[in-house]
Amino acid sequence: MSLKIIVLAKQVPDTRNVGKDAMKEDGTVNRAALPAIFNPEDLNALEQALRLKDSHPNSTVTILTMGPPRAADIIREGLFRGADGGYLLTDRIFAGADTLATSYALHMAVKKVGRFDLIISGRQAIDGDTAQVGPQVAEKLGIPQITYAEEIQSVNDGKATVKRRLEHGVEIVAGKLPLLITVNGSAPACRPRNAMLIQKYKHAQTASEAAAAQLGDLLNKRPFLKLGEWSATDVNADPQQCGLSGSPTKVKKIENIVFQAKESKAFDDSDGQIEELMVELINNHTIG
Amino acid sequence: MNNIFVYLEIENGKTEDVSLELLTKGRALADKLNCKLEAVAAGSGLNQIGTQVFPYGVDRLHLFDDKRLSPYTSLPHTAILVKLFKEEKPQIALMGATGVGRDLGPRVSSALFSGLTADCTALEIGDHEEKKENKTYKNLLYQIRPAFGGNIVATIVNPDNRPQMATVREGVMKKEIRDANYRGETVAHNPSEYVSDEDFAVGIIERHIESSKINVKSAPIIVAGGYGMGSKENFELLHQLAATVGAEVGASRAAVDAGFTEHERQIGQTGVTVRPKLYIACGISGQIQHVAGMQDSSIIISVNNDANAPINTIADYVIVGEAETVIPKMIKYYKKNSK
């Protein structure tokens, strides 16, 4: 049985190794100083999708991402690794969306993509760590969800069997299609880019990118290079439910935390100093 | 109406610590707001739950006892909370930021169109002004959490939608019995009025839950390593120091992400929160998301080659040097001087 699979992926600032210039003086985040990457767990999700494509001939994997125009990189990255196509959902009206407004927009885009068997996404994105968008998209589509997946073991007879990784153990569950699955970082890493696919898709572009790059009618000659690009109107999204106005949560305050400084005793790494410290800790019964 | 609801996580008829911690916090918030604290238990074999939770100050306990509700699956528990919340109209709903709560919370919030904030590290009550609309909101729930990989702290509010929902990780809030003799009312609901057959679309085939062998949360001394440890091999030094002084090994998120050690050891907003009597931070710079999970340690030692590492500002003792040099010396001089 061939499968239609949608992978939800997000371009995120790499928050894992934040340098000193990542914060502006006013305490806000300097996004420009952080490299934009494919959200790590979304890559785990892509791999699960590609494995299903390998084992179910004629299946398709479609990337769906929401973000600024440069997020088209995520679709190209997916194509280089084996995805079949993708859509970028981009519109200023989406700005300031919380997880609920984001899932609203994504679920409208999923409806526009059309029939699907599985939606697979990473468990959470590293810039928010909420793990909310996956389940919320599932709820809005009225389909079941399986979160914390480590392996999609099989898909047949209209059912997916999935191994979940929980805090203190594992669960094997079976769910009816169509289904949304979120994948953990403990799942296998994504396969690398494929050289042939890079050759094939390196000029893949959205319509706006193609217009800016003046590639002439390349996209018309090779339609597979055309990446989908949708605005809120294209996916019939109600503007009231998008972006800030569609977000029940509001950010009241952002702070750069200044730690409550303690008066600390300083030591260097010489033998004498370390011995002094250990003796002090033993004498005041902190250790031993 | 307009009370505070806590969703109880239950394993083998026992309420999980994270839920008892939330009840403790929920009780304090209810006192402040002058409303009631209610708890929801869905599962099977729930006859002991009342005895377990009433001492935490629960005024009403909602029971949904049905074999099919245990173990937890997403849709039936969602259906229960959605319908119950529509009937009861809570102003605040809290759940654990656990595998269960993070699966359930977003689904419920989407169905009710109510805002949800994940992994809060503090919950407070306060007012909020929407300047554009010239509107003041009284007594909102401030949902406070580190954001953006732990580089900033955000206060989130839900001005217009109810319930105001938040998840909190285990260990973040303190668990405290209110009154051992406190007794609330029990309301036994009929689960079939809340859950339909279609809600059982996902079935559990196999389940192995084991208590983790690693117990960072209750260790009196923690030796924690960060990205600055540089390698998995250097993490072995931490284990040696831990074995010497009777400690457990913890880690920052960066160290776990780099594959230096197991996820179970992660301390911080997205890991466990700890309050040991001694915390030795080795090669940890001190991102907020880490500090949020260990700042209440009684004594903090920082071992770092950067004299200006942020964590040094909250440390009682700062050793400036390479962890690889310092740790073996700590072991050596502990052994030499301990009786």
Short mmCIF file of all heavy atoms in Angstrom, two decimals, chain A residues 187-248:
data_model
loop_
_atom_site.label_atom_id
_atom_site.label_comp_id
_atom_site.label_asym_id
_atom_site.label_seq_id
_atom_site.Cartn_x
_atom_site.Cartn_y
_atom_site.Cartn_z
N ALA A 187 15.11 8.78 18.18
CA ALA A 187 14.91 7.99 16.95
C ALA A 187 16.16 8.10 16.07
O ALA A 187 16.97 9.00 16.26
CB ALA A 187 13.69 8.53 16.20
N PRO A 188 16.31 7.18 15.10
CA PRO A 188 17.51 7.22 14.26
C PRO A 188 17.70 8.57 13.57
O PRO A 188 16.74 9.24 13.21
CB PRO A 188 17.23 6.13 13.22
CG PRO A 188 16.24 5.23 13.85
CD PRO A 188 15.42 6.07 14.77
N ALA A 189 18.97 8.95 13.41
CA ALA A 189 19.31 10.22 12.75
C ALA A 189 18.88 10.17 11.29
O ALA A 189 18.74 9.10 10.71
CB ALA A 189 20.81 10.47 12.85
N CYS A 190 18.71 11.33 10.71
CA CYS A 190 18.29 11.38 9.30
C CYS A 190 19.46 11.00 8.39
O CYS A 190 20.61 11.33 8.68
CB CYS A 190 17.78 12.78 8.95
SG CYS A 190 16.94 12.83 7.35
N ARG A 191 19.13 10.33 7.31
CA ARG A 191 20.13 10.01 6.30
C ARG A 191 20.74 11.31 5.78
O ARG A 191 20.09 12.36 5.79
CB ARG A 191 19.49 9.22 5.17
CG ARG A 191 18.42 9.98 4.43
CD ARG A 191 17.54 9.07 3.59
NE ARG A 191 16.85 8.08 4.42
CZ ARG A 191 16.12 7.09 3.92
NH1 ARG A 191 15.99 6.95 2.62
NH2 ARG A 191 15.52 6.25 4.73
N PRO A 192 21.99 11.24 5.28
CA PRO A 192 22.62 12.47 4.77
C PRO A 192 22.00 12.88 3.43
O PRO A 192 21.21 12.15 2.84
CB PRO A 192 24.08 12.07 4.59
CG PRO A 192 24.07 10.58 4.46
CD PRO A 192 22.88 10.09 5.23
N ARG A 193 22.42 14.03 2.95
CA ARG A 193 22.00 14.48 1.63
C ARG A 193 22.54 13.51 0.59
O ARG A 193 23.63 12.96 0.75
CB ARG A 193 22.60 15.84 1.32
CG ARG A 193 22.15 16.92 2.25
CD ARG A 193 23.05 18.10 2.00
NE ARG A 193 22.56 19.27 2.71
CZ ARG A 193 23.03 20.49 2.49
NH1 ARG A 193 24.01 20.67 1.61
NH2 ARG A 193 22.55 21.51 3.15
N ASN A 194 21.79 13.37 -0.48
CA ASN A 194 22.19 12.48 -1.55
C ASN A 194 22.73 13.33 -2.70
O ASN A 194 22.07 14.27 -3.15
CB ASN A 194 20.94 11.68 -1.96
CG ASN A 194 21.18 10.82 -3.16
OD1 ASN A 194 21.54 11.31 -4.23
ND2 ASN A 194 20.97 9.53 -2.99
N ALA A 195 23.92 13.00 -3.18
CA ALA A 195 24.59 13.84 -4.19
C ALA A 195 23.73 14.00 -5.45
O ALA A 195 23.64 15.10 -6.01
CB ALA A 195 25.94 13.24 -4.55
N MET A 196 23.09 12.92 -5.89
CA MET A 196 22.25 12.98 -7.09
C MET A 196 21.07 13.93 -6.87
O MET A 196 20.68 14.69 -7.76
CB MET A 196 21.68 11.59 -7.41
CG MET A 196 22.72 10.53 -7.57
SD MET A 196 23.02 10.21 -9.31
CE MET A 196 21.50 9.39 -9.75
N LEU A 197 20.51 13.83 -5.67
CA LEU A 197 19.34 14.68 -5.38
C LEU A 197 19.74 16.14 -5.27
O LEU A 197 18.98 17.04 -5.63
CB LEU A 197 18.64 14.20 -4.11
CG LEU A 197 17.99 12.82 -4.21
CD1 LEU A 197 17.46 12.36 -2.85
CD2 LEU A 197 16.86 12.83 -5.24
N ILE A 198 20.94 16.39 -4.75
CA ILE A 198 21.42 17.78 -4.69
C ILE A 198 21.50 18.34 -6.11
O ILE A 198 21.04 19.45 -6.40
CB ILE A 198 22.79 17.88 -3.99
CG1 ILE A 198 22.66 17.47 -2.52
CG2 ILE A 198 23.35 19.30 -4.09
CD1 ILE A 198 23.96 17.46 -1.76
N GLN A 199 22.08 17.53 -7.02
CA GLN A 199 22.17 17.95 -8.43
C GLN A 199 20.78 18.25 -8.98
O GLN A 199 20.56 19.26 -9.64
CB GLN A 199 22.83 16.84 -9.27
CG GLN A 199 24.33 16.84 -9.18
CD GLN A 199 24.94 18.20 -9.50
OE1 GLN A 199 24.57 18.85 -10.49
NE2 GLN A 199 25.84 18.67 -8.65
N LYS A 200 19.86 17.35 -8.67
CA LYS A 200 18.53 17.47 -9.25
C LYS A 200 17.80 18.71 -8.73
O LYS A 200 17.13 19.41 -9.48
CB LYS A 200 17.74 16.21 -8.93
CG LYS A 200 16.32 16.21 -9.50
CD LYS A 200 15.62 14.86 -9.26
CE LYS A 200 14.17 14.92 -9.70
NZ LYS A 200 13.41 13.73 -9.34
N TYR A 201 17.94 18.97 -7.43
CA TYR A 201 17.06 19.96 -6.81
C TYR A 201 17.76 21.26 -6.41
O TYR A 201 17.15 22.11 -5.76
CB TYR A 201 16.42 19.36 -5.55
CG TYR A 201 15.34 18.34 -5.85
CD1 TYR A 201 15.49 17.01 -5.46
CD2 TYR A 201 14.17 18.71 -6.50
CE1 TYR A 201 14.50 16.07 -5.71
CE2 TYR A 201 13.17 17.77 -6.77
CZ TYR A 201 13.34 16.45 -6.37
OH TYR A 201 12.36 15.53 -6.62
N LYS A 202 19.05 21.41 -6.78
CA LYS A 202 19.73 22.60 -6.24
C LYS A 202 19.08 23.90 -6.69
O LYS A 202 19.20 24.92 -6.03
CB LYS A 202 21.23 22.57 -6.56
CG LYS A 202 21.56 22.64 -8.01
CD LYS A 202 23.07 22.54 -8.21
CE LYS A 202 23.38 22.45 -9.69
NZ LYS A 202 24.79 22.12 -9.94
N HIS A 203 18.38 23.88 -7.84
CA HIS A 203 17.70 25.10 -8.28
C HIS A 203 16.23 25.13 -7.91
O HIS A 203 15.47 25.96 -8.42
CB HIS A 203 17.86 25.28 -9.79
CG HIS A 203 19.27 25.57 -10.19
ND1 HIS A 203 19.97 26.64 -9.69
CD2 HIS A 203 20.13 24.91 -11.01
CE1 HIS A 203 21.20 26.63 -10.19
NE2 HIS A 203 21.33 25.58 -10.99
N ALA A 204 15.82 24.21 -7.04
CA ALA A 204 14.41 24.22 -6.63
C ALA A 204 14.12 25.53 -5.91
O ALA A 204 14.88 25.95 -5.03
CB ALA A 204 14.13 23.03 -5.71
N GLN A 205 13.02 26.17 -6.29
CA GLN A 205 12.73 27.49 -5.73
C GLN A 205 11.24 27.75 -5.61
O GLN A 205 10.44 27.19 -6.36
CB GLN A 205 13.34 28.58 -6.62
CG GLN A 205 14.84 28.66 -6.42
CD GLN A 205 15.49 29.66 -7.30
OE1 GLN A 205 15.08 29.85 -8.44
NE2 GLN A 205 16.51 30.31 -6.78
N THR A 206 10.91 28.63 -4.70
CA THR A 206 9.54 29.11 -4.66
C THR A 206 9.38 30.15 -5.76
O THR A 206 10.38 30.64 -6.31
CB THR A 206 9.24 29.79 -3.31
OG1 THR A 206 10.12 30.91 -3.17
CG2 THR A 206 9.43 28.84 -2.14
N ALA A 207 8.15 30.49 -6.06
CA ALA A 207 7.90 31.46 -7.12
C ALA A 207 8.57 32.80 -6.81
O ALA A 207 9.19 33.42 -7.69
CB ALA A 207 6.39 31.66 -7.31
N SER A 208 8.52 33.23 -5.55
CA SER A 208 9.14 34.53 -5.21
C SER A 208 10.65 34.46 -5.36
O SER A 208 11.27 35.41 -5.82
CB SER A 208 8.83 34.96 -3.77
OG SER A 208 7.66 34.44 -3.32
N GLU A 209 11.24 33.33 -4.97
CA GLU A 209 12.69 33.21 -5.12
C GLU A 209 13.07 33.23 -6.60
O GLU A 209 14.05 33.87 -6.99
CB GLU A 209 13.18 31.90 -4.49
CG GLU A 209 13.22 31.93 -2.98
CD GLU A 209 13.58 30.58 -2.39
OE1 GLU A 209 13.21 29.54 -2.97
OE2 GLU A 209 14.25 30.56 -1.34
N ALA A 210 12.30 32.52 -7.40
CA ALA A 210 12.60 32.46 -8.84
C ALA A 210 12.51 33.84 -9.47
O ALA A 210 13.34 34.22 -10.29
CB ALA A 210 11.65 31.49 -9.52
N ALA A 211 11.50 34.60 -9.05
CA ALA A 211 11.35 35.95 -9.59
C ALA A 211 12.56 36.80 -9.24
O ALA A 211 13.09 37.53 -10.07
CB ALA A 211 10.06 36.58 -9.05
N ALA A 212 13.01 36.68 -7.98
CA ALA A 212 14.14 37.48 -7.53
C ALA A 212 15.44 37.05 -8.21
O ALA A 212 16.30 37.87 -8.49
CB ALA A 212 14.27 37.38 -6.01
N ALA A 213 15.57 35.74 -8.47
CA ALA A 213 16.83 35.23 -9.03
C ALA A 213 16.87 35.37 -10.55
O ALA A 213 17.90 35.11 -11.16
CB ALA A 213 17.00 33.77 -8.63
N GLN A 214 15.78 35.75 -11.15
CA GLN A 214 15.70 35.92 -12.60
C GLN A 214 16.21 34.71 -13.35
O GLN A 214 17.07 34.79 -14.21
CB GLN A 214 16.48 37.17 -13.02
CG GLN A 214 15.88 38.42 -12.41
CD GLN A 214 16.65 39.68 -12.79
OE1 GLN A 214 17.86 39.69 -12.79
NE2 GLN A 214 15.91 40.72 -13.14
N LEU A 215 15.68 33.56 -12.97
CA LEU A 215 16.10 32.33 -13.63
C LEU A 215 15.29 32.07 -14.90
O LEU A 215 15.32 30.98 -15.44
CB LEU A 215 15.93 31.15 -12.67
CG LEU A 215 17.04 30.99 -11.62
CD1 LEU A 215 16.74 29.83 -10.71
CD2 LEU A 215 18.40 30.81 -12.29
N GLY A 216 14.60 33.07 -15.36
CA GLY A 216 13.83 32.91 -16.59
C GLY A 216 12.74 31.87 -16.43
O GLY A 216 12.09 31.81 -15.39
N ASP A 217 12.59 31.04 -17.40
CA ASP A 217 11.48 30.08 -17.33
C ASP A 217 11.95 28.69 -16.93
O ASP A 217 11.36 27.68 -17.30
CB ASP A 217 10.72 30.06 -18.65
CG ASP A 217 11.60 29.66 -19.81
OD1 ASP A 217 12.84 29.60 -19.61
OD2 ASP A 217 11.07 29.40 -20.89
N LEU A 218 13.06 28.65 -16.14
CA LEU A 218 13.59 27.36 -15.70
C LEU A 218 12.52 26.54 -14.99
O LEU A 218 12.38 25.34 -15.23
CB LEU A 218 14.78 27.58 -14.75
CG LEU A 218 15.46 26.31 -14.24
CD1 LEU A 218 16.20 25.60 -15.35
CD2 LEU A 218 16.39 26.61 -13.08
N LEU A 219 11.76 27.20 -14.12
CA LEU A 219 10.76 26.46 -13.34
C LEU A 219 9.63 25.94 -14.24
O LEU A 219 9.02 24.92 -13.94
CB LEU A 219 10.17 27.33 -12.23
CG LEU A 219 11.13 27.76 -11.12
CD1 LEU A 219 10.35 28.28 -9.92
CD2 LEU A 219 12.05 26.63 -10.67
N ASN A 220 9.40 26.63 -15.35
CA ASN A 220 8.37 26.13 -16.27
C ASN A 220 8.87 24.92 -17.05
O ASN A 220 8.12 23.99 -17.32
CB ASN A 220 7.94 27.24 -17.23
CG ASN A 220 7.16 28.31 -16.51
OD1 ASN A 220 6.48 28.02 -15.51
ND2 ASN A 220 7.27 29.54 -16.97
N LYS A 221 10.16 24.96 -17.38
CA LYS A 221 10.73 23.83 -18.12
C LYS A 221 10.84 22.61 -17.22
O LYS A 221 10.69 21.47 -17.65
CB LYS A 221 12.13 24.20 -18.64
CG LYS A 221 12.09 24.98 -19.94
CD LYS A 221 13.50 25.07 -20.52
CE LYS A 221 13.75 26.46 -21.09
NZ LYS A 221 15.15 26.87 -20.93
N ARG A 222 11.18 22.85 -15.97
CA ARG A 222 11.34 21.72 -15.03
C ARG A 222 10.41 21.93 -13.83
O ARG A 222 10.84 22.42 -12.78
CB ARG A 222 12.79 21.64 -14.55
CG ARG A 222 13.75 21.38 -15.68
CD ARG A 222 15.13 21.12 -15.15
NE ARG A 222 16.12 21.33 -16.20
CZ ARG A 222 17.37 21.66 -15.96
NH1 ARG A 222 17.79 21.84 -14.73
NH2 ARG A 222 18.21 21.83 -16.96
N PRO A 223 9.17 21.56 -13.99
CA PRO A 223 8.18 21.85 -12.95
C PRO A 223 8.52 21.23 -11.59
O PRO A 223 8.09 21.74 -10.56
CB PRO A 223 6.89 21.24 -13.50
CG PRO A 223 7.16 20.81 -14.88
CD PRO A 223 8.62 20.88 -15.16
N PHE A 224 9.33 20.16 -11.60
CA PHE A 224 9.66 19.54 -10.30
C PHE A 224 10.50 20.47 -9.43
O PHE A 224 10.68 20.24 -8.24
CB PHE A 224 10.36 18.19 -10.50
CG PHE A 224 11.70 18.27 -11.19
CD1 PHE A 224 12.86 18.47 -10.46
CD2 PHE A 224 11.77 18.14 -12.57
CE1 PHE A 224 14.08 18.54 -11.10
CE2 PHE A 224 13.00 18.22 -13.22
CZ PHE A 224 14.16 18.42 -12.48
N LEU A 225 11.06 21.54 -10.06
CA LEU A 225 11.87 22.47 -9.27
C LEU A 225 11.02 23.52 -8.56
O LEU A 225 11.51 24.32 -7.78
CB LEU A 225 12.88 23.19 -10.18
CG LEU A 225 14.00 22.31 -10.73
CD1 LEU A 225 14.91 23.13 -11.63
CD2 LEU A 225 14.81 21.69 -9.59
N LYS A 226 9.74 23.51 -8.86
CA LYS A 226 8.88 24.56 -8.30
C LYS A 226 8.37 24.16 -6.91
O LYS A 226 7.65 23.17 -6.77
CB LYS A 226 7.70 24.78 -9.24
CG LYS A 226 6.97 26.06 -8.98
CD LYS A 226 6.02 26.35 -10.13
CE LYS A 226 5.27 27.64 -9.86
NZ LYS A 226 4.38 27.96 -10.99
N LEU A 227 8.77 24.93 -5.93
CA LEU A 227 8.32 24.66 -4.56
C LEU A 227 7.02 25.44 -4.30
O LEU A 227 6.91 26.59 -4.69
CB LEU A 227 9.37 25.10 -3.54
CG LEU A 227 10.78 24.53 -3.72
CD1 LEU A 227 11.70 25.03 -2.61
CD2 LEU A 227 10.75 23.00 -3.72
N GLY A 228 6.11 24.76 -3.66
CA GLY A 228 4.83 25.43 -3.36
C GLY A 228 5.03 26.59 -2.40
O GLY A 228 5.87 26.55 -1.52
N GLU A 229 4.29 27.65 -2.62
CA GLU A 229 4.37 28.81 -1.73
C GLU A 229 2.96 29.31 -1.52
O GLU A 229 2.28 29.68 -2.48
CB GLU A 229 5.23 29.89 -2.39
CG GLU A 229 5.46 31.10 -1.51
CD GLU A 229 6.35 32.12 -2.20
OE1 GLU A 229 6.54 32.05 -3.43
OE2 GLU A 229 6.86 33.01 -1.50
N TRP A 230 2.51 29.30 -0.27
CA TRP A 230 1.13 29.65 0.02
C TRP A 230 1.04 30.81 1.01
O TRP A 230 1.79 30.85 2.00
CB TRP A 230 0.39 28.45 0.63
CG TRP A 230 0.06 27.37 -0.37
CD1 TRP A 230 -0.09 27.50 -1.71
CD2 TRP A 230 -0.16 25.98 -0.06
NE1 TRP A 230 -0.41 26.28 -2.27
CE2 TRP A 230 -0.47 25.34 -1.29
CE3 TRP A 230 -0.15 25.24 1.11
CZ2 TRP A 230 -0.74 23.97 -1.35
CZ3 TRP A 230 -0.43 23.88 1.05
CH2 TRP A 230 -0.73 23.26 -0.18
N SER A 231 0.10 31.67 0.79
CA SER A 231 -0.21 32.72 1.76
C SER A 231 -1.40 32.25 2.58
O SER A 231 -1.98 31.20 2.30
CB SER A 231 -0.58 34.01 1.02
OG SER A 231 -1.80 33.79 0.32
N ALA A 232 -1.80 33.05 3.55
CA ALA A 232 -2.96 32.72 4.37
C ALA A 232 -4.19 32.57 3.48
O ALA A 232 -4.99 31.64 3.65
CB ALA A 232 -3.19 33.80 5.43
N THR A 233 -4.34 33.47 2.52
CA THR A 233 -5.49 33.41 1.62
C THR A 233 -5.49 32.11 0.80
O THR A 233 -6.53 31.50 0.59
CB THR A 233 -5.46 34.61 0.64
OG1 THR A 233 -5.12 35.77 1.39
CG2 THR A 233 -6.78 34.79 -0.05
N ASP A 234 -4.28 31.70 0.35
CA ASP A 234 -4.18 30.48 -0.46
C ASP A 234 -4.73 29.25 0.27
O ASP A 234 -5.20 28.31 -0.36
CB ASP A 234 -2.73 30.22 -0.86
CG ASP A 234 -2.20 31.26 -1.83
OD1 ASP A 234 -3.02 31.83 -2.58
OD2 ASP A 234 -0.98 31.51 -1.83
N VAL A 235 -4.57 29.24 1.60
CA VAL A 235 -5.04 28.05 2.35
C VAL A 235 -6.38 28.35 3.04
O VAL A 235 -6.80 27.60 3.92
CB VAL A 235 -3.99 27.55 3.37
CG1 VAL A 235 -2.71 27.14 2.66
CG2 VAL A 235 -3.69 28.58 4.45
N ASN A 236 -7.03 29.43 2.62
CA ASN A 236 -8.36 29.80 3.15
C ASN A 236 -8.37 30.02 4.65
O ASN A 236 -9.33 29.69 5.34
CB ASN A 236 -9.40 28.72 2.81
CG ASN A 236 -9.39 28.38 1.33
OD1 ASN A 236 -9.42 29.29 0.49
ND2 ASN A 236 -9.29 27.11 1.01
N ALA A 237 -7.25 30.56 5.17
CA ALA A 237 -7.18 30.77 6.61
C ALA A 237 -7.90 32.06 7.00
O ALA A 237 -7.80 33.07 6.31
CB ALA A 237 -5.72 30.85 7.05
N ASP A 238 -8.63 31.98 8.09
CA ASP A 238 -9.33 33.14 8.62
C ASP A 238 -8.30 34.04 9.32
O ASP A 238 -7.68 33.62 10.29
CB ASP A 238 -10.39 32.64 9.62
CG ASP A 238 -10.96 33.77 10.47
OD1 ASP A 238 -10.74 34.95 10.14
OD2 ASP A 238 -11.63 33.43 11.48
N PRO A 239 -8.11 35.27 8.82
CA PRO A 239 -7.06 36.15 9.38
C PRO A 239 -7.19 36.34 10.89
O PRO A 239 -6.19 36.48 11.59
CB PRO A 239 -7.27 37.48 8.66
CG PRO A 239 -8.10 37.18 7.47
CD PRO A 239 -8.87 35.93 7.75
N GLN A 240 -8.42 36.31 11.39
CA GLN A 240 -8.64 36.49 12.83
C GLN A 240 -8.00 35.38 13.66
O GLN A 240 -7.71 35.56 14.83
CB GLN A 240 -10.15 36.54 13.13
CG GLN A 240 -10.75 37.91 12.95
CD GLN A 240 -10.06 38.98 13.79
OE1 GLN A 240 -9.84 38.81 14.99
NE2 GLN A 240 -9.65 40.07 13.14
N GLN A 241 -7.83 34.21 13.04
CA GLN A 241 -7.29 33.08 13.79
C GLN A 241 -5.79 32.90 13.55
O GLN A 241 -5.20 31.92 13.98
CB GLN A 241 -8.03 31.80 13.42
CG GLN A 241 -9.50 31.87 13.82
CD GLN A 241 -10.17 30.52 13.70
OE1 GLN A 241 -9.75 29.56 14.31
NE2 GLN A 241 -11.22 30.46 12.91
N CYS A 242 -5.18 33.85 12.82
CA CYS A 242 -3.76 33.76 12.51
C CYS A 242 -2.95 34.76 13.34
O CYS A 242 -3.49 35.77 13.79
CB CYS A 242 -3.51 34.05 11.04
SG CYS A 242 -4.26 32.85 9.94
N GLY A 243 -1.67 34.47 13.47
CA GLY A 243 -0.74 35.42 14.08
C GLY A 243 -1.17 35.87 15.46
O GLY A 243 -1.80 35.12 16.20
N LEU A 244 -0.84 37.11 15.78
CA LEU A 244 -1.12 37.64 17.11
C LEU A 244 -2.60 37.56 17.48
O LEU A 244 -2.96 37.18 18.58
CB LEU A 244 -0.67 39.10 17.20
CG LEU A 244 0.73 39.36 17.73
CD1 LEU A 244 0.98 40.86 17.80
CD2 LEU A 244 0.91 38.74 19.12
N SER A 245 -3.48 37.92 16.51
CA SER A 245 -4.89 37.99 16.86
C SER A 245 -5.47 36.59 17.11
O SER A 245 -6.46 36.45 17.81
CB SER A 245 -5.69 38.73 15.79
OG SER A 245 -5.60 38.03 14.57
N GLY A 246 -4.83 35.56 16.57
CA GLY A 246 -5.32 34.20 16.80
C GLY A 246 -4.64 33.51 17.96
O GLY A 246 -4.81 32.31 18.15
N SER A 247 -3.86 34.26 18.73
CA SER A 247 -3.08 33.66 19.81
C SER A 247 -3.66 34.01 21.18
O SER A 247 -3.61 35.17 21.59
CB SER A 247 -1.63 34.17 19.75
OG SER A 247 -1.05 33.84 18.51
N PRO A 248 -4.21 33.02 21.89
CA PRO A 248 -4.73 33.33 23.23
C PRO A 248 -3.64 33.70 24.23
O PRO A 248 -3.90 34.43 25.18
CB PRO A 248 -5.46 32.04 23.64
CG PRO A 248 -4.99 30.98 22.71
CD PRO A 248 -4.51 31.65 21.47
#
